[in-house]
Amino acid sequence: MPLLLLLPLRSSAPLRRLLLCRCCSSSSAAPSPTGLATYRRAFARRMALAGVHPHHRVAVGVSGGPDSMALCVLAAAWKRAGEEREGGGAGNASGFVDGLLGVVVDHGLRPESADESRLVRDRVRGMGVMCEIATCDWPDGRPKQGHIQEAAREMRYQKLLDICIKQQIAVLLIAHHSDDQAELFVMRLSRNSGVLGLAGTGFVSQLFAPNLRYDGDNFSRYGIILVRPMLEFSKDDMYKICQGSNHLWVEDPTNNSMLYVRNRIRASLRSLSIEGTFQSELHKLISACRLTRAFIDNACSAALKNSLTLMEHGYAVIDLEKLDPHNVDDLCLSQYLAYVLQFVSQRHRPLRGRSARLLMDYIRTVPCKAALTVAGCYLAAVPRSKGTKVLVCCSVDLMESSSVDMSYKCSYVKHPLPVSEINQIVSEARLYSDQYLQNYPNIPFLSSKFSTDVLNKAKDLKLMDDCTLEKLNYLRTDEHRKFITTKEHKHEEQYSDKTSFPYLKALNIWPGETCHFMGRFLITWRTSEVVVNGMCLHDNKKQICQYCMVNPDGSLAVRNMCDADWLFLAEVCKIHSLEENKNDSNAFCNKLEDDKLVQHSKYLQLSAMKSLEILRSIPAPARRMLPVLTNSRGEILSIPSNPGLLIAYASPSLVHPYAFRLFFPEAAANTSRLE
């Protein structure tokens, strides 16, 4: 079978990495029109389960391969059919399908990538789908060889999200299919993941922008709905869809390189799937894992609504009486605590091993009397709760080490409002998810803590036979050995690199600027407020008060509050008159030398009193998360109650305490496997 080069070769041109194909193998015969109709019905059913309908604006991530091209084919047909049912046309004046946008991401990691992206874009446009290119920038330079795929993936999703936000698109479609799920299952199996990891990628999830969008008065976190409607289709199905619709695709020869983990696993799965029921049983096992995770996610959602309170000052409170942790399964409780700690700390690392067990033992000790620091969070009994409520706040050590990564400036730029229909899509998808889970009273792997437990339980439940179990154990052992070897090599490289530790810089802001601090607080330093009741943070509407000790360049540093700060506030509250402060050695009090500073002193007293009043209502550990403004010497100048310092107690980066993720395995009569 000949492969045609995507571009005509020039005498000096390098060999193109992407190859143009009409078919994958002789076994992948093009389906009949009836077969294509079956694919279209299955796709439309999946979109409805996700709460997405043809009138919604949808984007499709396109690489040019058979997976994404098949997704474009089905998405366009779904849009056209929906418009026809409503009595309208599916196209607009330009001839493209209305409300459907293809996005090609040019990673810019190879010289020929720009030409290839343009050709893929033109091919998608030839299908009647509007398409554009998103070009990646690498401000820190090209990713290291061992991290290229991971870095490219993160950049790709960021570019897709940016375009969806800019174009006011609520839904992004990704072409992950069942073979991708199988590869991910084996990869996580080799890393000893539990059932939650073995469940793979979600059918529907939410993707959020990393930074807040701020227009000077309001702030919001933008997000979109991420849907993977092809998860019930195989790789062969992708080829058949492209062939049946007479659309070409491109193949990347690097997919055959054994240097990459997924490629090795893909080759092994192909060899083991030639005979027997291995493939179908593997997909049944994955489906059962996903069902278990969906149940746990729903149980955690209900528990969070019932027992967790998020406080405006950036910490959380767990009501142990409402949670009743002794009657919650280990998997559900572990996931519940992981959601809470990830939400508070803003670190998305999963809880594993000893940390997870330590945390569960702590929560199950009722009443709570001790304190615990784990996974970037500090836990202790809430004062006057008699140990029935647990405070969860960010650890000060984490704040000091992560302040640069979690704090950033917000520019005053008008942004489009978040798409309002997202909430309706989420609600509808959740409804379908709840209805589906009601049909499954017996969840298979709730008591399975490790990957080996999952495999053995699947054998007992007759989800697979001895032959399939033997093959999976072989894959797990073989890939685990390679994983450990690679991990040790990377560990040695990490410690041999003396420049791997970044230099942390303080975050400074100037009058009129806004920053999002530690993923929790939106801070605006306003200098245009009208002076009220003698308060004098500034002399006029444009300049700072001459007695406010800012840095030489007029800026202030933002940091979290420390113990010395509220002791200082208490001292300021004791200032009664200038005469009483003449002999005070405090550097601030020595500056009070004439009547011009009387108003300034009164302002500081009132401000300090208001701050202490706020602080008394906040548990001491949580106070250390509050932001303050200081000069270059670390001296506190502005505090949360300052009229010139507007601090909005914004929710942390995640809109919900857990990622919205849904699962809909369809036991369709025309297929022998479950998703």
Side-chain angles (χ1 to χ4, degrees), residues 508-521:
N508 285 13
I509 64 172
W510 279 259
E513 286 192 331
T514 297
C515 75
H516 192 213
F517 178 71
M518 293 300 298
R520 291 166 178 78
F521 304 100

PDB file of all heavy atoms in Angstrom, residues 508-521:
ATOM      1  N   ASN A 508       5.790  42.252  43.513  1.00  0.00           N
ATOM      2  CA  ASN A 508       5.555  43.658  43.853  1.00  0.00           C
ATOM      3  C   ASN A 508       4.394  44.202  43.045  1.00  0.00           C
ATOM      4  O   ASN A 508       4.214  43.842  41.875  1.00  0.00           O
ATOM      5  CB  ASN A 508       6.802  44.503  43.577  1.00  0.00           C
ATOM      6  CG  ASN A 508       7.885  44.284  44.619  1.00  0.00           C
ATOM      7  OD1 ASN A 508       7.814  43.350  45.408  1.00  0.00           O
ATOM      8  ND2 ASN A 508       8.882  45.139  44.627  1.00  0.00           N
ATOM      9  N   ILE A 509       3.611  45.080  43.669  1.00  0.00           N
ATOM     10  CA  ILE A 509       2.548  45.755  42.937  1.00  0.00           C
ATOM     11  C   ILE A 509       2.679  47.250  43.152  1.00  0.00           C
ATOM     12  O   ILE A 509       3.246  47.717  44.140  1.00  0.00           O
ATOM     13  CB  ILE A 509       1.147  45.269  43.362  1.00  0.00           C
ATOM     14  CG1 ILE A 509       0.866  45.624  44.820  1.00  0.00           C
ATOM     15  CG2 ILE A 509       0.990  43.786  43.133  1.00  0.00           C
ATOM     16  CD1 ILE A 509      -0.572  45.340  45.218  1.00  0.00           C
ATOM     17  N   TRP A 510       2.131  48.012  42.213  1.00  0.00           N
ATOM     18  CA  TRP A 510       2.158  49.468  42.250  1.00  0.00           C
ATOM     19  C   TRP A 510       0.732  49.991  42.417  1.00  0.00           C
ATOM     20  O   TRP A 510      -0.238  49.245  42.209  1.00  0.00           O
ATOM     21  CB  TRP A 510       2.769  50.015  40.962  1.00  0.00           C
ATOM     22  CG  TRP A 510       4.268  49.990  40.954  1.00  0.00           C
ATOM     23  CD1 TRP A 510       5.117  51.026  41.186  1.00  0.00           C
ATOM     24  CD2 TRP A 510       5.109  48.851  40.709  1.00  0.00           C
ATOM     25  NE1 TRP A 510       6.426  50.626  41.101  1.00  0.00           N
ATOM     26  CE2 TRP A 510       6.456  49.287  40.809  1.00  0.00           C
ATOM     27  CE3 TRP A 510       4.878  47.507  40.421  1.00  0.00           C
ATOM     28  CZ2 TRP A 510       7.528  48.441  40.625  1.00  0.00           C
ATOM     29  CZ3 TRP A 510       5.945  46.654  40.237  1.00  0.00           C
ATOM     30  CH2 TRP A 510       7.252  47.125  40.348  1.00  0.00           C
ATOM     31  N   PRO A 511       0.567  51.251  42.789  1.00  0.00           N
ATOM     32  CA  PRO A 511      -0.778  51.810  42.955  1.00  0.00           C
ATOM     33  C   PRO A 511      -1.635  51.595  41.706  1.00  0.00           C
ATOM     34  O   PRO A 511      -1.189  51.832  40.581  1.00  0.00           O
ATOM     35  CB  PRO A 511      -0.506  53.306  43.197  1.00  0.00           C
ATOM     36  CG  PRO A 511       0.857  53.327  43.813  1.00  0.00           C
ATOM     37  CD  PRO A 511       1.621  52.222  43.144  1.00  0.00           C
ATOM     38  N   GLY A 512      -2.844  51.108  41.913  1.00  0.00           N
ATOM     39  CA  GLY A 512      -3.769  50.857  40.813  1.00  0.00           C
ATOM     40  C   GLY A 512      -3.677  49.455  40.246  1.00  0.00           C
ATOM     41  O   GLY A 512      -4.517  49.069  39.430  1.00  0.00           O
ATOM     42  N   GLU A 513      -2.681  48.685  40.661  1.00  0.00           N
ATOM     43  CA  GLU A 513      -2.533  47.332  40.128  1.00  0.00           C
ATOM     44  C   GLU A 513      -3.312  46.322  40.970  1.00  0.00           C
ATOM     45  O   GLU A 513      -3.630  46.567  42.128  1.00  0.00           O
ATOM     46  CB  GLU A 513      -1.060  46.923  40.074  1.00  0.00           C
ATOM     47  CG  GLU A 513      -0.279  47.592  38.975  1.00  0.00           C
ATOM     48  CD  GLU A 513       1.082  46.961  38.779  1.00  0.00           C
ATOM     49  OE1 GLU A 513       1.643  46.425  39.755  1.00  0.00           O
ATOM     50  OE2 GLU A 513       1.590  47.003  37.640  1.00  0.00           O
ATOM     51  N   THR A 514      -3.572  45.170  40.340  1.00  0.00           N
ATOM     52  CA  THR A 514      -4.287  44.085  40.994  1.00  0.00           C
ATOM     53  C   THR A 514      -3.495  42.803  40.830  1.00  0.00           C
ATOM     54  O   THR A 514      -2.910  42.551  39.782  1.00  0.00           O
ATOM     55  CB  THR A 514      -5.689  43.902  40.382  1.00  0.00           C
ATOM     56  OG1 THR A 514      -6.454  45.082  40.607  1.00  0.00           O
ATOM     57  CG2 THR A 514      -6.413  42.719  41.005  1.00  0.00           C
ATOM     58  N   CYS A 515      -3.465  41.988  41.875  1.00  0.00           N
ATOM     59  CA  CYS A 515      -2.830  40.678  41.764  1.00  0.00           C
ATOM     60  C   CYS A 515      -3.718  39.618  42.400  1.00  0.00           C
ATOM     61  O   CYS A 515      -4.527  39.912  43.291  1.00  0.00           O
ATOM     62  CB  CYS A 515      -1.442  40.673  42.398  1.00  0.00           C
ATOM     63  SG  CYS A 515      -1.437  40.645  44.203  1.00  0.00           S
ATOM     64  N   HIS A 516      -3.579  38.405  41.899  1.00  0.00           N
ATOM     65  CA  HIS A 516      -4.269  37.251  42.475  1.00  0.00           C
ATOM     66  C   HIS A 516      -3.234  36.521  43.308  1.00  0.00           C
ATOM     67  O   HIS A 516      -2.278  35.962  42.778  1.00  0.00           O
ATOM     68  CB  HIS A 516      -4.818  36.356  41.365  1.00  0.00           C
ATOM     69  CG  HIS A 516      -5.776  35.317  41.856  1.00  0.00           C
ATOM     70  ND1 HIS A 516      -5.882  34.081  41.279  1.00  0.00           N
ATOM     71  CD2 HIS A 516      -6.683  35.344  42.876  1.00  0.00           C
ATOM     72  CE1 HIS A 516      -6.801  33.370  41.912  1.00  0.00           C
ATOM     73  NE2 HIS A 516      -7.296  34.119  42.878  1.00  0.00           N
ATOM     74  N   PHE A 517      -3.421  36.520  44.628  1.00  0.00           N
ATOM     75  CA  PHE A 517      -2.395  36.066  45.558  1.00  0.00           C
ATOM     76  C   PHE A 517      -2.691  34.655  46.052  1.00  0.00           C
ATOM     77  O   PHE A 517      -3.759  34.394  46.608  1.00  0.00           O
ATOM     78  CB  PHE A 517      -2.322  37.035  46.741  1.00  0.00           C
ATOM     79  CG  PHE A 517      -1.320  36.660  47.802  1.00  0.00           C
ATOM     80  CD1 PHE A 517       0.041  36.766  47.563  1.00  0.00           C
ATOM     81  CD2 PHE A 517      -1.750  36.189  49.034  1.00  0.00           C
ATOM     82  CE1 PHE A 517       0.956  36.430  48.543  1.00  0.00           C
ATOM     83  CE2 PHE A 517      -0.844  35.850  50.021  1.00  0.00           C
ATOM     84  CZ  PHE A 517       0.520  35.970  49.772  1.00  0.00           C
ATOM     85  N   MET A 518      -1.745  33.743  45.846  1.00  0.00           N
ATOM     86  CA  MET A 518      -1.812  32.372  46.340  1.00  0.00           C
ATOM     87  C   MET A 518      -3.070  31.642  45.888  1.00  0.00           C
ATOM     88  O   MET A 518      -3.560  30.741  46.557  1.00  0.00           O
ATOM     89  CB  MET A 518      -1.730  32.357  47.868  1.00  0.00           C
ATOM     90  CG  MET A 518      -0.398  32.797  48.440  1.00  0.00           C
ATOM     91  SD  MET A 518       0.966  31.740  47.896  1.00  0.00           S
ATOM     92  CE  MET A 518       0.488  30.166  48.567  1.00  0.00           C
ATOM     93  N   GLY A 519      -3.622  32.025  44.737  1.00  0.00           N
ATOM     94  CA  GLY A 519      -4.809  31.362  44.233  1.00  0.00           C
ATOM     95  C   GLY A 519      -6.041  31.595  45.077  1.00  0.00           C
ATOM     96  O   GLY A 519      -7.049  30.904  44.915  1.00  0.00           O
ATOM     97  N   ARG A 520      -6.006  32.585  45.973  1.00  0.00           N
ATOM     98  CA  ARG A 520      -7.103  32.780  46.917  1.00  0.00           C
ATOM     99  C   ARG A 520      -7.647  34.200  46.974  1.00  0.00           C
ATOM    100  O   ARG A 520      -8.835  34.406  47.079  1.00  0.00           O
ATOM    101  CB  ARG A 520      -6.652  32.393  48.343  1.00  0.00           C
ATOM    102  CG  ARG A 520      -6.407  30.921  48.519  1.00  0.00           C
ATOM    103  CD  ARG A 520      -5.651  30.649  49.797  1.00  0.00           C
ATOM    104  NE  ARG A 520      -5.455  29.223  49.981  1.00  0.00           N
ATOM    105  CZ  ARG A 520      -4.540  28.513  49.340  1.00  0.00           C
ATOM    106  NH1 ARG A 520      -3.730  29.110  48.488  1.00  0.00           N
ATOM    107  NH2 ARG A 520      -4.420  27.214  49.527  1.00  0.00           N
ATOM    108  N   PHE A 521      -6.765  35.188  46.928  1.00  0.00           N
ATOM    109  CA  PHE A 521      -7.168  36.557  47.215  1.00  0.00           C
ATOM    110  C   PHE A 521      -6.901  37.449  46.009  1.00  0.00           C
ATOM    111  O   PHE A 521      -5.836  37.385  45.389  1.00  0.00           O
ATOM    112  CB  PHE A 521      -6.404  37.096  48.424  1.00  0.00           C
ATOM    113  CG  PHE A 521      -6.545  36.247  49.652  1.00  0.00           C
ATOM    114  CD1 PHE A 521      -5.558  35.357  50.018  1.00  0.00           C
ATOM    115  CD2 PHE A 521      -7.681  36.340  50.436  1.00  0.00           C
ATOM    116  CE1 PHE A 521      -5.683  34.569  51.144  1.00  0.00           C
ATOM    117  CE2 PHE A 521      -7.819  35.553  51.570  1.00  0.00           C
ATOM    118  CZ  PHE A 521      -6.825  34.668  51.920  1.00  0.00           C
TER     119      PHE A 521
END
